[in-house]
């Protein structure tokens, strides 16, 4: 869901456009942002109570001191990932090209979270991959692989790694996938996301401490999203672990198109305005009955349609 230039001072009311500098948002904590401008990192804020800036955004800012500034405009985004409940939305990252969903053999992962992440990726036009970590826990591996089959059958790549037991092999598997891409890693706590980041970005711990100090977040270093630039064309974004992924912002029409297993059946229902919930002659429901669409996927669709009708913001 690409977004046009937002309102964060896009009209440049107080500053002549020529005085603005360009920067890349590399971390966010509340309304405070760390911005990379050339070789320098600055702390920037938005005007008023706006918090519509995301990590990965390319912005223009007005400098207010040698190491501080105010966000005046957000450049047009190629992609935007965010989650929302019925009251508010939370931006995850802008301009990403791929989403890596990290799951593990242990602890057990949430199919609901994985499925919602895939819907978010589809609706935003972002490629999605599943990363199965901790494959060295062999007794749990067969069952975990079986659970991931529903996603593999949909065409989502599943990459098996073991960040702690096989660090070199894991790094070798990851690097070609990341090259030339802007990648965000998401996952529940305990899946080993931090271990993967530390393998891919060797000085990640130092960077986190620097960012934490710059944003004055104290010791809460896992509560903010941060971007690591690997080279001019490659970056990786780490996000805090979360347990829920609301998609209240997606309309019914957006949702049906975000389920790639629905695509072959859309437009074939008896009624042109079919909701794919309980209508007679629904091609999607027939595909569920025949086993072409997993019941779990249709149940999620029905839940998301219900949620999208509850939006208050």
């Amino acid at each position: 869901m690409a977004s046009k230039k937002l309102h964060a001072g896009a009209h440049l009311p107080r500053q002549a456009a020529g005085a603005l500098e360009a920067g890349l948002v590399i971390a966010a904590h509340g309304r405070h942002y760390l911005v990379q401008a050339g070789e320098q990192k600055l702390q920037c804020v938005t005007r008023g109570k706006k918090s519509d800036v995301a990590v990965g955004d390319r912005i223009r800012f007005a400098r207010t001191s040698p190491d501080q500034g105010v966000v005046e405009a957000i450049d047009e985004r190629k992609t935007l990932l965010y989650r929302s409940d019925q009251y508010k939305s939370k931006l995850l990252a802008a301009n990403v090209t791929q989403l890596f969903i990290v799951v593990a053999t242990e602890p057990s992962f949430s199919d609901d979270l994985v499925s919602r992440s895939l819907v978010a990726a589809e609706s935003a036009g972002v490629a999605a991959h599943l990363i199965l970590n901790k494959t060295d826990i062999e007794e749990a591996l067969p069952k975990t692989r079986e659970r991931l089959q529903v996603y593999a059958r949909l065409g989502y790549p599943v990459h098996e790694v073991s960040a702690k037991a096989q660090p070199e092999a894991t790094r070798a598997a990851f690097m070609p996938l990341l090259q030339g891409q802007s990648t965000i890693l998401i996952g529940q706590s305990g899946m080993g996301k931090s271990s993967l980041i530390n393998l891919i970005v060797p000085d990640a711990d130092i960077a986190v401490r620097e960012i934490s100090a710059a944003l004055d977040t104290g010791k809460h270093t896992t509560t903010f999203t941060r971007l690591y630039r690997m080279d001019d064309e490659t970056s990786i974004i780490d996000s805090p672990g979360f347990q829920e992924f609301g998609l209240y912002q997606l309309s019914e029409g957006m949702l049906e198109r975000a389920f790639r297993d629905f695509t072959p059946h859309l437009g074939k229902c008896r009624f042109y305005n079919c909701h794919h919930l309980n209508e007679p002659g629904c091609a999607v429901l027939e595909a569920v009955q025949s086993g072409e669409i997993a019941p779990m996927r249709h149940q999620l669709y029905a839940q998301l349609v219900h949620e999208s009708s509850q939006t208050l913001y």
Side-chain angles (χ1 to χ4, degrees):
M1 188 182 296
S3 169
K4 297 289 183 185
K5 202 176 291 178
L6 293 192
H7 329 296
H11 299 300
L12 316 182
R14 306 186 190 186
Q15 193 84 17
L20 298 182
E21 299 177 59
L24 173 69
V25 178
I26 61 171
H29 183 73
R31 285 178 46 246
H32 295 266
Y33 305 96
L34 197 63
V35 173
Q36 184 88 44
E39 297 299 310
Q40 188 185 9
K41 294 182 179 71
L42 300 92
Q43 187 180 144
C44 287
V45 294
T46 50
R47 292 202 181 277
K49 294 184 178 178
K50 290 182 182 296
S51 56
D52 49 6
V53 181
V55 170
D57 265 328
R58 297 194 172 277
I59 63 154
R60 281 166 289 154
F61 65 92
R63 200 178 284 260
T64 54
S65 76
D67 57 358
Q68 292 184 319
V70 177
V71 178
E72 295 285 6
I74 302 169
D75 290 351
E76 188 172 337
R77 292 162 168 157
K78 294 175 183 172
T79 59
L80 177 63
L81 277 172
Y82 61 104
R83 56 196 179 102
S84 59
D85 59 25
Q86 66 191 103
Y87 302 106
K88 64 182 186 302
S89 61
K90 181 173 178 57
L91 305 186
L92 289 176
N95 300 315
V96 294
T97 56
Q98 54 186 9
L99 168 71
F100 283 7
I101 305 163
V102 181
V103 298
T105 47
E106 289 181 3
S108 182
F109 64 88
S110 161
D111 276 308
D112 184 66
L113 191 75
V114 171
S115 297
R116 285 167 177 266
S117 303
L118 293 173
V119 170
E122 290 284 347
S123 68
V126 173
H129 297 243
L130 287 115
I131 310 296
L132 171 56
N133 192 23
K134 307 185 188 180
T135 54
D136 53 299
I137 305 176
E138 292 181 9
E139 60 272 20
L141 195 53
K143 184 180 178 184
T144 309
R145 282 175 171 158
E146 189 180 325
R147 287 180 65 194
L148 292 174
Q149 270 305 301
V150 66
Y151 311 112
R153 280 195 290 269
L154 292 172
Y156 295 108
V158 178
H159 310 277
E160 296 191 0
V161 298
S162 182
K164 289 199 170 172
Q166 297 176 307
E168 292 83 5
T170 298
R171 185 173 161 80
F174 253 91
M175 298 314 281
L177 299 173
L178 299 173
Q179 190 58 46
Q181 305 282 343
S182 176
T183 307
I184 181 170
L185 264 64
I186 68 169
Q188 296 157 262
S189 301
M191 298 291 134
K193 198 158 53 68
S194 297
S195 300
L196 288 169
I197 287 287
N198 287 327
L199 265 182
I200 297 161
V201 187
D203 58 353
D205 283 342
I206 298 168
V208 165
R209 284 197 294 274
E210 286 178 353
I211 292 168
S212 184
L215 293 179
D216 197 25
T217 59
K219 62 180 181 295
H220 304 294
T221 54
T222 58
T223 60
F224 57 85
T225 302
R226 58 267 193 198
L227 179 150
Y228 305 99
R229 293 196 72 175
M230 300 172 70
D231 59 43
D232 288 345
E233 299 173 346
T234 309
S235 59
I236 187 162
I237 298 173
D238 188 17
S239 63
F242 49 81
Q243 309 303 319
E244 295 181 355
F245 202 128
L247 295 169
Y248 284 69
Q249 77 273 14
L250 299 182
S251 68
E252 189 176 313
M254 291 172 176
L255 285 169
E256 68 174 15
R257 292 191 296 275
F259 282 75
R260 57 168 60 172
D261 35 349
F262 285 22
T263 303
H265 312 287
L266 297 179
K268 297 180 180 177
C269 302
R270 183 185 303 172
F271 302 109
Y272 78 94
N273 58 348
C274 185
H275 301 292
H276 319 304
L277 295 174
N278 47 31
E279 293 85 353
C282 172
V284 170
L285 290 174
E286 288 169 4
V288 176
Q289 289 295 321
S290 69
E292 287 180 75
I293 295 174
M296 175 183 88
R297 294 277 291 173
H298 185 262
Q299 288 161 14
L300 174 65
Y301 168 78
Q303 175 62 28
L304 292 175
V305 168
H306 171 73
E307 288 176 11
S308 74
S309 70
Q310 308 298 306
T311 307
L312 297 180
Y313 69 87

